[in-house]
Structures are given as structure tokens and as C-alpha cells.
Amino acid sequence: LAELARESRSMEYTIVVFLYCFTAITMAIAVANVFNTIASALMLRTREFAVLQSAGMGRRSFRRMIVLECADFAAKGLVGGVALAALVNVALFQAMSLSIGTLAFDMPWGHVALSCAVVALVLAASALYALRKTHAMNLVEALRADAL
């Protein structure tokens, strides 16, 4: 009986390790994808930003506009992701409760908070990167390239 319990704990540990490794790899891919999407979207709009700045938009207003656009993008993704994760959590609970009668439903609020923190960090990093790139651009060259 002790050997069976040890094997059960060992199997559970292996499953948990693989699950967290899969989650970490998936999260790294998602973070890279979101960072690339936000930075690329902002870099492709350099002509628009050059026109806004040449029309009198200050650096502070420009920075606020970029951060709010990124925050909107992140909030929409976060709300959709958390809602989808909650539905999957409920579905997994329903499936598991058929075979394990003592299972109690529990929403992993710590993981939701971690997701929000990671989204905020990726938002900040991608907005800072894009802002550095757009501030380094030459207004005259961006407008001249648009005219050609």
C-alpha cells in the first residue's frame, strides 16, 4: 500500500512538472507574440506619428496616446483570456468531478493575478520599446518617405 501511494505521488509530481513546463513555454510564446505585435504595429505607424507631431502634438500627449492604445489592446486580450480560462476551468472541474467525488471547485485567483502582472509588464516593455524607436525617428525623413 505504501509503494502504491509513493507511485501515485510520483506520478502526480511528474504531471504537475510537465503541466507547469507546458504553461511556461506557452506563456513565453504568448509574451513574445504580444510584444512583437504591439511593437510592430506602432513601428508601422511612424508616418502617422510624424504627422501628429508635426501638427503640434507634444511628447507627453504622444506618449499618453501610445500607452492608452497599448493598454486597450492588453485589456481586451486579458478579459477574453481570463473568461476563456474560467470556462475551461469549469469544464475541467465538471469532467473531473465525475470521477473524483470529493473534488471542490476552486478558481486559481493567484494565477489570474499573475496573468494580470505579466500582461502589465509586457505592456510596459513593448510600449517603452516602441516609444524609444518612434522618438528616434526623424520627422522630416518620415514625412518625406510618405510623399515618395
Side-chain angles (χ1 to χ4, degrees), residues 2 8 22-23 25-26 36 41 44 48 57 60 74-75 83 85 98 124 128 138-139 144:
S8 177
F22 177 75
T23 303
I25 290 169
T26 304
N36 188 32
L44 289 173
E48 175 189 343
M57 180 180 254
R60 187 174 186 177
L98 295 175
L128 284 174
N138 186 351
L139 267 166
R144 186 178 297 151

Side-chain angles (χ1 to χ4, degrees), residues 10-55:
S10 176
M11 183 65 76
E12 179 183 346
Y13 179 76
T14 303
I15 290 171
V16 167
V17 166
F18 280 122
L19 183 64
Y20 278 111
C21 286
F22 177 75
T23 303
I25 290 169
T26 304
M27 192 162 71
I29 291 169
V31 165
N33 188 16
V34 167
F35 180 83
N36 188 32
T37 301
I38 291 175
S40 296
L42 293 177
M43 294 306 299
L44 289 173
R45 296 171 52 199
T46 55
R47 291 184 192 103
E48 175 189 343
F49 298 153
V51 169
L52 288 172
Q53 288 180 348
S54 69

Side-chain angles (χ1 to χ4, degrees), residues 36-109:
N36 188 32
T37 301
I38 291 175
S40 296
L42 293 177
M43 294 306 299
L44 289 173
R45 296 171 52 199
T46 55
R47 291 184 192 103
E48 175 189 343
F49 298 153
V51 169
L52 288 172
Q53 288 180 348
S54 69
M57 180 180 254
R59 287 198 182 265
R60 187 174 186 177
S61 298
F62 179 75
R63 207 174 315 134
R64 185 176 42 224
M65 179 188 76
I66 296 299
V67 169
L68 287 175
E69 284 181 12
C70 291
D72 181 54
F73 180 72
K76 288 176 184 175
L78 186 64
V79 167
V82 169
L84 182 63
L87 289 174
V88 168
N89 193 22
V90 169
L92 286 174
F93 169 74
Q94 292 295 328
M96 294 297 292
S97 66
L98 295 175
S99 61
I100 303 172
T102 60
L103 193 63
F105 180 75
D106 184 29
M107 187 69 176
W109 294 112

Side-chain angles (χ1 to χ4, degrees), residues 90-148:
V90 169
L92 286 174
F93 169 74
Q94 292 295 328
M96 294 297 292
S97 66
L98 295 175
S99 61
I100 303 172
T102 60
L103 193 63
F105 180 75
D106 184 29
M107 187 69 176
W109 294 112
H111 290 94
V112 173
L114 177 65
S115 298
C116 293
V118 168
V119 166
L121 286 173
V122 171
L123 165 70
S126 59
L128 284 174
Y129 175 76
L131 282 171
R132 285 190 194 273
K133 289 290 191 180
T134 56
H135 284 310
M137 74 181 176
N138 186 351
L139 267 166
V140 175
E141 289 300 320
L143 291 173
R144 186 178 297 151
D146 188 35
L148 296 176

